Each structure stands twice: as C-alpha cells, then as structure tokens.
C-alpha cells in the first residue's frame, strides 16, 4: 500500500483492521501473578489484618509507607483506604473549611470536587490548556482574598505544568495539593509527581497504574502536615506503638476512618515494584503510536510537559472540530479499536462522564447532603458560590468536544500497536484529507 492509497473504511462496509477486542485498560491488574497471591496469603496466614496490632503483625502498611515515600521522594507517606479518602485526609490536614475557596481544574474526577464540598469550602474552577491540566494563567485569574489553595490534578497519565502552578501558589501564599491518582510513577524533569506540592495524593483503585482494587496514599514533606494527616486518617489522634496518644497538644482532631489494611498493603508492595515496568510498557506503546500520528498535521497531539515522565496510560488526539472528532472515533471503533465488555477505551471526551466539570450535576445544581445547604448556603461562604455549568471553562469545553481519548493498556503486543496505528492511518487518510 502506498501512503496515498485509501482503504475502504469498516464504517462504510470495508474489512475492519481487527475483530478481536483490545485488552482492557487496567494497568496494574494485567501484571498480577503469584507474587501478589503470595503476599496476600502471607497476611492471611498471619491472621493479622489490621495495621496497628495483631496476633502476628507483618507491618505491611508501615513497610508500604516507607517504600512509597522513598519511591516518590517525599519525607512522609500515610497509606489510606482510597484516593477519595486521601483527598479528604489531605484537606483535613491542611485545615480546609468554610469561608475558603479551593481552585480545581475543569478536567478532573468527581472525588476532587466532593472532597472540597465535604469540607464546607467552595470549589472554584480554573480552565485547562492543551496539556489537559491546569493552565497556570487561568489559576492566577481565579485567585481572590478567600483562596486557600490549589488542587493540581495530573490527568490521564501525564503530569501537568506543576512547576508553573507551584510558582503561582508560592507567589500568592496558597497551598498546592497534587492529585496524582491517575499518574503514579510520573515525573517532571526526573522528579516524581507528588514531590512538588505541599501535599499529594494517590489512588490504587483498579483503573490505576498500580492497584490493590482499592487504596490510596497521602504524601508530604512537611512534618506537621504529616502528623495531622496521620491523626485525620484514623481516629483524630496520633499513635505510638499502635496505641492512641490522647494528650498531644494540637493533635486532638477528628478522624475520618480511612486506615489501610494489611492485605491490600501487602499487594501494593508488590505492585509498587512493578510500577516502573508497567509505565515503561505503556509509554513505549503510546509513543510508538504518537510517532506514527505525527504524519498527520491536521490532528493535534496532547502537549506533554515531559515525555519521559508520561506514564503513558492514555493517548489524547484533538481534531479541527467536534464533527470530525466524532466521525474519526466512530470509524476507529468500527475498525475494531475497542475493548469489551467495557467499551470506554476509545471515546470522544464528551463521553467521559464525571471527569468533565459540567457533567457533575451535584456541582452544577449546588447540591448538599444536609439541610443546611452546605457549603453553598453557609454564612461563611456568603457571596462565594459560583456557577459551574457548561461554558464556565471554554477552553476545556472545546477540547472535550474535539478530542478522542484512547486507553493504552500495559499489555499491548506489537501486533495490537500495529493494528491501532493501521486503523488510525486508514481512518485519518480517508477523513482528514
Ligand atoms: C484524579 C482522581 N482523583 C481521585 C480519585 C479517587 O480515587 P479512589 O477511586 O481511589 O477514591 C480518582 C479515582 O478515579 C481520580 O481519578
């Protein structure tokens, strides 16, 4: 086939590039083998499933915290039961509450908004740019006298412009909380995400780069924040040798009950060892595909701050208009670039649910879990409530309409990659002439 030849698209009745579904996109899951089984069994045999004491405590959570903080390059790590729990723990440690505004990106996950709202603070949206993460200039525009901090979310596997956002935070006296749930193992300039902010959180839910089904971690370089996070993730007090210490001044707080258990910590220790291999595999696949797509100047590739630090789990391509993006996506799916039974691996980004600010109806409708109307109706927040509907962040709105998100599983074979490249080339030659 010459580069000019156009094959009949499957969507028009031609032969699809492949008929076998692509592997599902759960990066850590594909690598689970006897080592995770052995780790879980070791804990079960010990009959000691709780982190702070037991019949024959293996101290898996404590070991995981040590190994994870060394991996990230942070002084402290507090393992928790979920990424959402990590966000709540971090915001509690940072003292977030009513009367404060917290800047969040237009492209995110619902848990980020929920953590702010559940603390009684007001979320303030800032637009993204072609990195699909916070635009530092838009962050700056949203800062008011009530702003307390910024949550920078490293979305879809690639770090955002964290150095520029940190510079805004420093200049304006705000905290920076990095949400690395979708970017474990990512780096900027050789330095791990999670080591740039005052605090950072990770998730180990099943879709993430490393997993134990559920789980999370809070990391920080700050001693005092770490102490508060330890208390807040547990019962509100520090512990020594597993026992609660009730008389520590400044550390008589309220806990949220997000402790991680020994079973999942044991599995996470194995997964952490696999993480560099998992991200290297996804990055290799992704950049092979990206390289082939560079031949099509009509489409725009997501701007990556540091390609060597991209964890590689998603490829985002952007088209001149939304109709073209939809046509390309339909045609790619017809070529067999899909997964089953879940079909969310190759979508126009408008289909990406609670990752888009305006799809979060609880936010758009100023919903509250309690009759006080918290946080919107709290007197401390008088005049702070915003509108959050579509149109609030126009750059994000346009990017969502014009972009396609493709998951890059950690176990793609060279043949799978060939098929993805072939399908893109076939579709783009036909549709982007
Ligand atoms: C960006 C982001 N933050 C936070 C979370 C919450 O993590 P979890 O599902 O472990 O509660 C997720 C999970 O999908 C996420 O993608």
């Amino acid at each position: 086939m010459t580069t000019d030849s156009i094959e009949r698209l499957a969507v028009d009745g031609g032969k699809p590039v492949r008929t076998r579904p692509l592997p599902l996109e759960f990066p850590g899951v594909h690598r689970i083998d006897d080592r995770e089984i052995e780790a879980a069994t070791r804990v079960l045999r010990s009959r000691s499933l709780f982190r702070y004491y037991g019949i024959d405590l293996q101290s898996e959570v404590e070991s995981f915290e040590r190994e994870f903080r060394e991996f990230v390059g942070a002084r402290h790590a507090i393992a928790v039961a979920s990424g959402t729990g990590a966000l709540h723990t971090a915001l509690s440690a940072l003292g977030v509450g009513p009367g404060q505004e917290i800047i969040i990106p237009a492209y995110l996950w619902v848990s980020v908004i929920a953590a702010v709202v559940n603390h009684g603070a007001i979320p303030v949206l800032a637009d993204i740019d072609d990195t699909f993460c916070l635009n530092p200039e838009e962050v700056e525009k949203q800062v008011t006298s009530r702003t307390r901090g910024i949550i920078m979310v490293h979305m879809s596997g690639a770090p955002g412009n964290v150095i520029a956002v940190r510079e805004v935070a420093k200049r304006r006296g705000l905290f920076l909380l990095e949400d690395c749930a979708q970017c474990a193992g990512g780096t900027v300039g050789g330095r791990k995400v999670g080591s740039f902010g005052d605090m950072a959180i990770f998730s180990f839910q099943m879709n993430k780069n490393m997993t134990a089904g559920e789980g999370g971690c809070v990391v920080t370089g700050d001693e005092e924040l770490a102490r508060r996070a330890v208390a807040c993730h547990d019962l509100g007090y520090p512990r020594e040798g597993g026992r609660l210490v009730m008389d520590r001044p400044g550390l008589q707080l309220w806990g949220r009950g997000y402790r991680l258990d020994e079973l999942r910590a044991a599995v996470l220790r194995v997964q952490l060892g696999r993480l560099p291999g998992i991200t290297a595999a996804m990055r290799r696949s992704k950049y092979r595909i990206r390289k082939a797509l560079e031949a099509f100047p009509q489409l725009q590739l997501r701007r990556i701050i540091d390609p060597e630090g991209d964890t590689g789990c998603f490829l985002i391509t952007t088209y001149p208009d939304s109709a073209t993006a939809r046509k390309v996506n339909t045609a790619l799916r017809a070529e067999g670039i899909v997964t089953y039974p879940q079909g969310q691996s190759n979508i126009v980004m408008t289909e990406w649910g609670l990752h888009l600010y305006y799809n979060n109806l609880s936010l758009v409708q100023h919903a509250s879990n309690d009759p006080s109307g918290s946080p919107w109706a709290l007197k401390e927040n008088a005049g702070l409530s915003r509108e959050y509907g579509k149109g609030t962040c126009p750059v994000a709105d346009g990017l969502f309409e014009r972009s396609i998100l493709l998951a890059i599983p950690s176990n793609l074979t060279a043949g799978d990659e060939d098929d993805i490249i072939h399908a893109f080339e076939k579709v783009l030659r036909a549709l982007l002439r």
Side-chain angles (χ1 to χ4, degrees):
M1 191 181 67
T2 71
T3 46
D4 296 330
S5 68
I6 293 178
E7 296 171 80
R8 187 155 177 234
L9 296 182
V11 78
D12 297 327
K15 185 169 175 289
V17 168
R18 63 185 279 144
T19 49
R20 205 163 33 87
L22 285 165
L24 290 167
E25 70 254 39
F26 308 121
V29 162
H30 293 301
R31 307 292 171 109
I32 290 175
D33 68 14
D34 286 350
R35 289 185 51 215
E36 279 85 349
I37 294 166
E38 191 279 322
T41 309
R42 181 175 70 236
V43 172
L44 287 170
R45 287 219 169 90
S46 75
R47 295 190 176 82
S48 301
L49 308 183
F50 182 61
R51 71 165 294 177
Y52 287 121
Y53 46 78
I55 298 166
D56 178 20
L57 185 59
Q58 304 293 300
S59 300
E60 301 286 350
V61 180
E62 201 179 317
S63 300
F64 173 67
E65 288 176 336
R66 186 183 60 252
E67 289 156 8
F68 197 73
R69 72 173 181 248
E70 282 167 7
F71 177 80
V72 172
R75 289 233 297 280
H76 309 276
I78 301 99
V80 292
S82 67
T84 306
L87 281 164
H88 281 76
T89 301
L91 293 187
S92 290
L94 287 159
V96 168
Q100 300 175 18
E101 295 175 340
I102 307 297
I103 296 176
I104 59 172
Y107 182 40
L108 77 182
W109 179 240
V110 56
S111 308
V112 176
I113 316 171
V116 174
V117 167
N118 280 331
H119 277 81
I122 296 291
V124 174
L125 291 166
D127 215 337
I128 58 171
D129 57 21
D130 54 357
T131 63
F132 286 79
C133 296
L134 276 176
N135 176 342
E137 286 167 21
E138 294 297 322
V139 172
E140 183 104 49
K141 282 189 206 158
Q142 297 303 332
V143 177
T144 73
S145 60
R146 306 294 282 275
T147 311
R148 242 327 284 297
I150 304 165
I151 306 181
M152 161 118 221
V153 191
H154 301 289
M155 287 301 288
S156 303
N161 197 352
V162 65
I163 292 174
V165 172
R166 184 177 59 172
E167 153 55 28
V168 176
K170 283 232 159 80
R171 193 155 24 81
R172 307 299 294 257
L174 310 174
F175 71 70
L176 175 63
L177 170 60
E178 286 180 82
D179 180 334
C180 312
Q182 301 193 6
C183 200
T187 58
V188 177
R191 184 169 159 183
K192 293 267 171 27
V193 296
S195 67
F196 293 92
D198 299 286
M199 296 193 98
I201 72 98
F202 292 81
S203 162
F204 308 123
Q205 179 270 342
M206 195 174 70
N207 292 77
K208 307 306 189 296
N209 291 347
M210 55 177 277
T211 188
E214 297 275 11
C217 201
V218 179
V219 305
T220 179
D222 185 284
E223 190 82 40
E224 178 61 16
L225 287 174
R227 272 200 287 266
R228 284 178 61 90
V230 168
C232 292
H233 102 291
D234 185 15
L235 295 172
Y237 304 92
R239 292 203 190 232
E240 265 164 25
R243 300 181 71 86
L244 286 169
V245 182
M246 314 283 287
D247 60 357
R248 199 60 48 84
L251 283 177
Q252 290 151 329
L253 302 169
W254 294 106
R256 291 183 170 271
Y258 290 133
R259 289 179 306 262
L260 185 67
D261 59 281
E262 290 282 285
L263 254 179
R264 282 183 291 171
V267 172
L268 287 172
R269 293 180 68 196
V270 181
Q271 286 267 306
L272 179 59
R274 302 191 192 282
L275 183 59
I278 291 170
T279 55
M282 296 189 296
R283 196 165 42 244
R284 196 172 51 241
S285 296
K286 171 172 170 176
Y287 282 83
R288 193 179 154 217
I289 300 164
R290 261 181 76 111
K291 186 102 200 81
L293 295 183
E294 283 171 9
F296 296 90
Q298 307 93 319
L299 73 78
Q300 193 186 319
L301 294 163
R302 174 186 184 182
R303 180 159 66 91
I304 303 291
I305 295 290
D306 180 352
E308 285 174 29
D310 182 353
T311 72
C313 49
F314 288 97
L315 172 78
I316 299 179
T317 50
T318 304
Y319 299 83
D321 53 68
S322 61
T324 307
R326 279 201 301 274
K327 261 180 19 197
V328 169
N329 186 248
T330 305
L332 280 172
R333 292 177 67 92
E335 296 298 338
I337 306 307
V338 278
T339 54
Y340 291 111
Q342 293 99 327
Q344 283 282 88
S345 68
N346 179 18
I347 52 168
V348 176
M349 286 185 77
T350 46
E351 306 297 309
W352 204 212
L354 299 177
H355 291 94
L356 317 191
Y357 71 95
Y358 58 70
N359 282 341
N360 285 272
L361 295 184
S362 304
L363 177 69
V364 175
Q365 295 168 4
H366 300 106
S368 185
N369 282 3
D370 69 80
S372 74
S374 175
W376 324 104
L378 297 180
K379 71 175 184 336
E380 294 89 336
N381 291 333
L384 301 188
S385 186
R386 314 284 170 117
E387 294 306 314
Y388 300 97
K390 192 171 178 181
T392 309
C393 294
V395 173
D397 296 353
L399 286 170
F400 298 152
E401 298 267 349
R402 293 187 292 116
S403 302
I404 293 176
L405 181 91
L406 176 72
I408 306 292
S410 61
N411 61 343
L412 282 186
T413 63
D416 293 331
E417 292 164 13
D418 290 342
D419 287 345
I420 293 172
I421 291 170
H422 179 181
F424 262 112
E425 288 177 344
K426 188 176 163 187
V427 166
L428 297 178
R429 278 195 194 109
L431 299 180
L432 287 192
R433 272 178 293 158

